[in-house]
Amino acid sequence: MRSYLDALTLVERLHRLLLDVIKDEFERLNILDVNPVQALLLFNIGDNEVTAGELKTRGYYQGSNVSYNLKKLVDLGYMHHQRSEIDRRSVRVKLTDKGRKLRDIVAKLFATHAEGLTTRAILDADAMDEITRALKRMERYWTDQIRYIY
């Protein structure tokens, strides 16, 4: 039980730290109009065109205020939005050139971190793969709990 609780705490803390790392990088670059959650959203959408509903389904966005963040990113010029011709309730979004530039900044930050973990001998590729496999198993277990157990 203790290991499980430690893992939960660590996952939560790592997510908050990731947001702080992005915030720090943006402040360093004087990018003040986008918050870290919005930056991750842009990064995860990448070159895809998606609906708001797909953002959660595909795991691109975990928050409850997706509409607010999408509207904000559209208003700031980081995303285009277009109503579906078939279902007028559905809106598809994709990154603008400005959004792709911000996504590239986040991608560069992540690449620098991945390289730093390796070059400083903190984690090699095999260790990172094992962490990823373990977290995917945990994700699958939790997903099954939501879907199949009441």
Side-chain angles (χ1 to χ4, degrees), residues 5 28 71 94 115 127:
L5 294 176
R28 191 181 67 71
K71 182 180 181 337
K94 67 179 181 179
E115 182 181 336

Side-chain angles (χ1 to χ4, degrees), residues 14 110-119 121-137:
L14 285 171
F110 290 171
T112 300
H113 290 171
E115 182 181 336
L117 287 168
T118 303
T119 58
I122 296 167
L123 288 174
D124 63 16
D126 290 338
M128 187 59 72
D129 288 343
E130 182 53 37
I131 290 169
T132 302
R133 281 191 296 274
L135 289 171
K136 283 182 179 181
R137 289 190 305 267

